[in-house]
Amino acid sequence: MRNSASALGGVKAVLEQVLSGQYSGTLPEMELLARKLRASGIDAVASRTPQLVRPP
């Protein structure tokens, strides 16, 4: 049971990053994540957004 609780904590952490815009990856990676979320019953889409370039 401890492993599933630990996994759930990791999933929640990633979800918070995704929702706040802190989580990024390649479009294929995000499509895979969205596909897995949809398979588990969560509406999700992967989209391409322009990357912000921050000055040094």
Side-chain angles (χ1 to χ4, degrees):
M1 187 71 176
R2 184 173 189 148
N3 286 340
S4 62
S6 175
L8 182 58
V11 169
K12 286 182 178 182
V14 169
L15 178 58
E16 288 176 11
Q17 291 176 340
V18 169
L19 293 175
S20 68
Q22 297 175 11
Y23 191 88
S24 64
T26 65
L27 187 56
E29 291 170 335
M30 295 299 102
E31 287 173 342
L32 177 62
L33 176 59
R35 195 174 314 124
K36 288 183 177 191
L37 289 169
R38 287 192 301 270
S40 66
I42 300 169
D43 287 337
V45 295
S47 65
R48 188 178 305 214
T49 58
Q51 185 167 351
L52 299 174
V53 177
R54 295 191 172 110

